[in-house]
Amino acid sequence: MSSLWRLPLGNKWRQTMLQSSLAEVEDSITFRVLVLALVIVGVVATDIAAETKFSLWALPLSLVGGIWSYYRRRDRNISVKFCIAIGMLVALGAFLGRLVGESNDTRVALAELLIQLQVLHCFDMPRRKDLGYSIVIGLILLGVAATLSQTLAFAPILLIFLAIALPTLVLDYRSRLGIENFKIEREQFPQRNSQIWRNSSFNLRFLILNFLVVVGLGLAIFAVLPRFPGYQLRMFPVSSSINVKGNFTGRSIINPGYVRQGKQNQGTGGSGTEQGNGGGKPGQVDDSFYYGFNSQMNQNLRGEMKPKVVMRVRSQTEGFWRVLAFDRYTGKGWEISRNEQVRRIKRSPWTYQIFLNLLTGAGKTKEIVQTYTVVSDLPNLIPAMASPKEIYFPTPMIAVDPEDGLRAPVGLSEGMTYTVISQVPYRDRTLLGKASTKYPQSFKDYYLQIPSEIADKVRKRTEEILANYNQQKVSQSNKSLDSTYEKVLYLAQYLKQNYQIPDNPLDLPYLAENEDLVEAFLFKHKGGYPDHFSTVLTVMLRSIGIPARLVAGFASGEFNPFTGMYVVRNTDAYAMTEVYFPKYGWFAFDPIPNHPLIPPSIEEIQTFSVLRQFWNWVAGWLPSPVTGLLNNVFGTLFTWISKVCSWFVSLFFKGWLGIFTGLILATIISFLGWLAWSQWREWFRHLSLRRLPPMESLYQQMLLWADQKGLSKHPAQTPLEYAKVSYQHHSVATAEVIDEICQAYVSWRYGGYTPDLHRLRQQWQQISSRTEKQIRLKSNRD
């Protein structure tokens, strides 16, 4: 074997190996510490965002690896490299094994693999290039954490990462230039003034200023960045697969707040006693769980819930997270009459995707993707936007009831994540106003049901309200209510304006045994709880032959502009009215006071919705006069901009004359914009040069002049390397001046020597004036 090393090729290969192992060895302890800090911040960020415990073992091992790598940075460490390679193969095998069970969302698995590889990599980082790999890994981990994060807990981690990254990049650049540690230089040359040391070491003021600028620009870009709808990938976030024990029929609804003691029987309610949810008996509302998420909805309960976050939703647009609907009115609440007719849908064992095959209307629709993360335990009812067509869910099957509600075999537990794709219909008021009033018999059987005791009384009151409106409009020569859609809108608005929610919820008395909720609301109390408004509207519509049902779910919640997620609380749950329009399907109306009449949907989607939501969030902290003033200013500004843009675009639709006029205006505007931009750049350049130290200013002037002559300095070039290249592109006299300026700049910047600025300026002025004369003479000859 030793004879092979003596051969020329073997000897050359061994020398190359020895040189490469010792080349670019990084000795800066500060640089290594900062790089290790970046990696640790990335690991911690992933740990926090994914709610895992990577850092329990990764952080101490990373510290040990960093220390080991520093002390063994000049050794070949063949055995260590061999062990690292084996460890990486083991980590890859574990990742592939885990990938089989989590094939739908691999972000956490990939992050864990990257952390394992980085820990192994920490034991072999002799060179600056190796430290650069660790910087990139820290940045990737931070990016993974950003995609996983659902709260603002990620924000301080991001700021810490940025604060560490700025000095790390400074040291990395100094290392690339081959500049020694400034502490060593200061010990060797203590006589140099403080300004020189500030130039050759960290400038804390400069770092803080850059930190603030980066944060400010990042927030501004985040706010105005367009959010175009549509997911580019079809691998959506889903929790790990859940095994279901027992026979799942889909008939039972498990609401933890409304279960009889000793029985897992939904259809009961109260606070764990005989205060049942069925039968309309008086009782108390559970303070954590919404009473409407049940096979029966008892609206004779009193009380209110204590707010708590129950889930976070990432959606392409704001919406109503629909849970379930009721078709039978009981006089004191609602129930699902066809609870036995639920159908089960299984998914393939190789994917989390379940196709629902729900019927949709013939109108225009839009695909909306939503990802739900459960924060607090919920019933086994699956919230989703209207008209879901696909769901990525962790259980092997789900159930769908006749009212298009989705049910899971298990309760939605804390930490569960699933994704829904809905084909949401557009709400076209014109088309819905022309919808037919011929309803299928099946809809008449289930969605026109009213207790006979109140049917005539409610119908007369409803017809009286509509007649009064028609008489008033006819006398004013306005259009009367001649369509189902307009009748529903008016009745919902009428309830909002003429009936009230009691100031104290406890002031509303319980319903008597033979008392009807709708009758008491309209004729006795002149109001009721928020959900009572929706019940009354539903029954009023049924009384005049319009099919309607009660739908319960969550409002969109509070939008967080920094995480891009809707934070939904248990108190966001409420009920609305859904009305059926033949050919177009079901559409919701909200008669509750202080709620929008039409719930938010895809019609309100905006490319710059984050900017709008961010402004709403900021405006909430400002005084009302300031908010009103800013709304008027920005509203007027955007109105004028929209008018000018519309006028300009309309020119191109007015024949050839309009097209030529538009092109001329576009040319003039472009030229004036270019001229203004050039002048601004020139002014800003001169202003920047005045603020620089004299030597720095002269050096930058020289680089600017050379750039105009076609010899730009590459960012990776040092000043001395650039000076050598200048001899190939300029005359000897010019290149010598450039070389001297570069030498003086390096001596001043990194050596602390005072240059002869007067002589350098004279030489530079002679060179620049000579060049200008040559250019003028050449132009005169031409």
Side-chain angles (χ1 to χ4, degrees):
M1 186 70 179
S2 60
S3 61
L4 294 176
W5 292 116
R6 296 191 186 97
L7 294 175
L9 184 61
N11 186 36
K12 184 178 179 180
W13 181 78
R14 189 174 75 166
Q15 289 178 358
T16 303
M17 289 291 296
L18 291 174
Q19 290 174 0
S20 63
S21 63
L22 300 177
E24 298 181 355
V25 172
E26 182 57 55
D27 294 317
S28 174
I29 298 178
T30 306
F31 186 28
R32 288 178 173 273
V33 170
L34 289 176
V35 170
L36 187 59
L38 283 180
V39 173
I40 290 175
V41 171
V43 174
V44 172
T46 307
D47 204 355
I48 293 175
E51 298 181 358
T52 55
K53 298 180 180 180
F54 296 148
S55 59
L56 293 180
W57 62 270
L59 298 188
L61 285 179
S62 297
L63 292 173
V64 173
I67 297 173
W68 166 270
S69 180
Y70 174 74
Y71 283 106
R72 300 296 298 261
R73 66 189 184 279
R74 298 190 182 278
D75 299 330
R76 297 180 63 189
N77 299 320
I78 300 298
S79 58
V80 174
K81 289 181 171 65
F82 186 74
C83 293
I84 290 174
I86 294 176
M88 289 183 174
L89 291 175
V90 172
L92 179 61
F95 165 73
L96 295 177
R98 185 177 178 184
L99 197 63
V100 175
E102 299 181 8
S103 58
N104 202 69
D105 186 10
T106 59
R107 291 175 297 173
V108 176
L110 284 170
E112 186 173 0
L113 173 63
L114 192 59
I115 291 172
Q116 293 168 353
L117 297 180
Q118 170 57 30
V119 171
L120 294 170
H121 177 64
C122 283
F123 286 87
D124 186 36
M125 297 189 302
R127 300 168 297 177
R128 181 187 68 248
K129 182 169 64 174
D130 299 317
L131 295 172
Y133 294 153
S134 295
I135 294 175
V136 174
I137 290 175
L139 183 61
I140 293 174
L141 289 175
L142 194 75
V144 172
T147 64
L148 294 172
S149 177
Q150 298 181 353
T151 66
L152 283 178
F154 176 72
I157 302 297
L158 180 62
L159 296 178
I160 293 173
F161 187 90
L162 177 60
I164 299 174
L166 290 176
T168 304
L169 294 176
V170 171
L171 288 179
D172 179 69
Y173 186 67
R174 286 171 57 85
S175 178
R176 291 175 185 273
L177 295 178
I179 303 170
E180 297 180 0
N181 194 302
F182 64 87
K183 291 184 178 180
I184 300 176
E185 293 176 359
R186 189 167 189 176
E187 292 175 357
Q188 295 176 351
F189 304 98
Q191 70 277 10
R192 297 175 188 170
N193 58 58
S194 59
Q195 177 63 37
I196 295 173
W197 290 121
R198 281 196 296 270
N199 289 337
S200 62
S201 62
F202 286 121
N203 188 329
L204 186 60
R205 180 180 177 183
F206 175 78
L207 292 177
I208 294 176
L209 178 62
N210 276 271
F211 176 82
L212 296 176
V213 169
V214 171
V215 172
L217 287 176
L219 290 175
I221 293 173
F222 175 81
V224 302
L225 193 67
R227 262 63 174 181
F228 297 105
Y231 280 55
Q232 300 302 317
L233 300 177
R234 310 302 290 188
M235 302 295 285
F236 301 114
V238 185
S239 299
S240 300
S241 182
I242 300 174
N243 294 324
V244 179
K245 298 180 180 180
N247 184 24
F248 171 60
T249 63
R251 298 175 183 175
S252 63
I253 299 176
I254 308 169
N255 189 331
Y258 297 90
V259 178
R260 288 187 188 275
Q261 288 182 341
K263 295 182 179 181
Q264 296 296 320
N265 178 25
Q266 200 57 23
T268 61
S271 299
T273 63
E274 292 299 324
Q275 299 165 346
N277 204 29
K281 296 180 180 180
Q284 294 296 317
V285 170
D286 186 87
D287 61 1
S288 298
F289 295 89
Y290 179 60
Y291 73 106
F293 297 155
N294 227 316
S295 59
Q296 295 180 343
M297 186 178 188
N298 180 11
Q299 294 189 296
N300 200 20
L301 303 180
R302 300 293 181 263
E304 56 186 355
M305 293 184 292
K306 297 178 181 178
K308 70 173 182 178
V309 177
V310 293
M311 63 181 183
R312 289 187 285 264
V313 183
R314 187 184 302 276
S315 175
Q316 294 169 271
T317 183
E318 185 179 6
F320 178 74
W321 321 126
R322 189 182 188 275
V323 176
L324 81 169
F326 302 90
D327 64 332
R328 178 182 293 171
Y329 175 62
T330 63
K332 292 182 175 61
W334 294 84
E335 65 181 12
I336 301 174
S337 65
R338 296 172 287 173
N339 196 49
E340 296 77 15
Q341 299 181 20
V342 297
R343 57 188 178 92
R344 296 181 301 166
I345 304 178
K346 295 183 179 181
R347 62 172 171 84
S348 168
W350 307 107
T351 180
Y352 288 95
Q353 186 180 32
I354 301 176
F355 293 96
L356 300 175
N357 298 321
L358 299 182
L359 296 177
T360 56
K364 183 181 178 182
T365 62
K366 188 176 186 65
E367 182 180 277
I368 302 296
V369 181
Q370 321 114 60
T371 297
Y372 300 81
T373 299
V374 180
V375 179
S376 179
D377 291 350
L378 291 172
N380 65 321
L381 301 170
I382 305 174
M385 233 173 154
S387 304
K389 67 172 186 176
E390 298 175 35
I391 181 171
Y392 294 75
F393 204 75
T395 59
M397 67 181 70
I398 64 170
V400 182
D401 65 28
E403 311 303 332
D404 298 335
L406 308 181
R407 304 180 185 182
V410 295
L412 275 58
S413 58
E414 180 181 354
M416 178 183 288
T417 299
Y418 65 94
T419 300
V420 179
I421 303 178
S422 298
Q423 203 68 34
V424 183
Y426 281 88
R427 184 188 291 261
D428 191 320
R429 185 170 181 174
T430 302
L431 291 178
L432 295 178
K434 298 177 181 179
S436 171
T437 56
K438 296 180 179 180
Y439 304 106
Q441 186 60 43
S442 59
F443 282 82
K444 294 181 180 180
D445 293 340
Y446 292 104
Y447 304 116
L448 295 180
Q449 170 267 334
I450 306 177
S452 57
E453 296 82 4
I454 65 167
D456 291 338
K457 196 172 184 180
V458 174
R459 185 186 70 255
K460 291 180 181 179
R461 178 59 179 150
T462 305
E463 291 175 346
E464 178 185 345
I465 294 172
L466 296 175
N468 290 338
Y469 173 84
N470 288 330
Q471 290 178 2
Q472 180 182 1
K473 291 302 178 182
V474 169
S475 63
Q476 297 177 0
S477 300
N478 289 332
K479 187 177 180 181
S480 60
L481 300 175
D482 55 356
S483 70
T484 299
Y485 191 85
E486 299 302 327
K487 290 178 182 178
V488 177
L489 284 178
Y490 178 71
L491 289 174
Q493 189 63 38
Y494 183 88
L495 291 176
K496 284 176 180 286
Q497 296 176 350
N498 294 276
Y499 295 87
Q500 297 179 349
I501 300 174
D503 296 332
N504 185 356
L506 299 179
D507 290 343
L508 189 67
Y510 288 106
L511 297 172
E513 183 176 354
N514 297 323
E515 193 173 15
D516 185 273
L517 169 65
V518 175
E519 184 179 16
F521 181 100
L522 290 174
F523 306 106
K524 182 178 179 181
H525 303 304
K526 300 296 182 181
Y529 279 2
D531 287 351
H532 295 176
F533 284 78
S534 301
T535 293
V536 172
L537 176 63
T538 305
V539 174
M540 290 177 72
L541 293 175
R542 289 184 172 191
S543 70
I544 57 175
I546 299 176
R549 65 186 180 189
L550 193 79
V551 59
F554 291 100
S556 56
E558 181 182 359
F559 181 76
N560 188 324
F562 297 102
T563 62
M565 305 194 77
Y566 295 91
V567 180
V568 183
R569 294 173 172 79
N570 56 345
T571 51
D572 291 323
Y574 70 102
M576 289 192 301
T577 298
E578 276 189 342
V579 181
Y580 179 73
F581 295 88
K583 184 181 176 181
Y584 300 106
W586 294 92
F587 288 87
F589 298 83
D590 192 343
I592 301 174
N594 301 321
H595 283 205
L597 183 61
I598 304 299
S601 187
I602 54 175
E603 288 81 5
E604 300 180 10
I605 189 170
Q606 298 180 7
T607 303
F608 297 96
S609 59
V610 173
L611 180 60
R612 175 175 57 85
Q613 296 281 4
F614 184 79
W615 165 246
N616 292 337
W617 178 78
V618 173
W621 295 87
L622 298 176
S624 298
V626 176
T627 303
L629 176 63
L630 293 177
N631 280 329
N632 291 332
V633 171
F634 288 120
T636 304
L637 179 63
F638 285 119
T639 299
W640 277 102
I641 292 176
S642 300
K643 289 182 178 179
V644 170
C645 292
S646 300
W647 172 79
F648 179 75
V649 172
S650 66
L651 290 176
F652 294 90
F653 298 92
K654 294 182 179 180
W656 289 106
L657 180 60
I659 294 175
F660 283 123
T661 304
L663 292 176
I664 292 171
L665 287 175
T667 304
I668 294 174
I669 293 172
S670 300
F671 174 75
L672 293 177
W674 171 82
L675 186 63
W677 171 252
S678 301
Q679 293 298 322
W680 182 86
R681 285 182 61 188
E682 191 68 24
W683 171 82
F684 184 77
R685 186 182 297 116
H686 286 296
L687 182 64
S688 301
L689 290 174
R690 287 197 208 104
R691 294 178 177 178
L692 295 175
M695 186 65 242
E696 178 80 17
S697 178
L698 179 60
Y699 175 70
Q700 294 296 334
Q701 289 180 41
M702 183 269 295
L703 292 180
L704 179 62
W705 176 85
D707 182 57
Q708 294 173 350
K709 303 304 177 186
L711 181 60
S712 302
K713 177 183 176 297
H714 193 276
Q717 282 182 316
T718 64
L720 299 183
E721 291 174 343
Y722 177 75
K724 290 181 181 179
V725 175
S726 65
Y727 284 95
Q728 303 174 9
H729 299 271
H730 298 287
S731 63
V732 176
T734 302
E736 287 178 349
V737 174
I738 293 176
D739 192 1
E740 188 172 356
I741 291 176
C742 290
Q743 294 281 357
Y745 172 75
V746 172
S747 300
W748 167 80
R749 181 69 175 81
Y750 302 110
Y753 297 101
T754 303
D756 188 354
L757 286 171
H758 180 70
R759 184 176 63 82
L760 291 173
R761 284 200 184 101
Q762 285 183 341
Q763 290 180 341
W764 178 248
Q765 288 176 359
Q766 292 175 1
I767 292 295
S768 58
S769 61
R770 186 191 311 160
T771 304
E772 294 297 331
K773 288 180 181 179
Q774 292 175 354
I775 294 174
R776 282 197 296 269
L777 289 174
K778 184 178 180 180
S779 61
N780 291 334
R781 289 196 212 102
D782 296 339

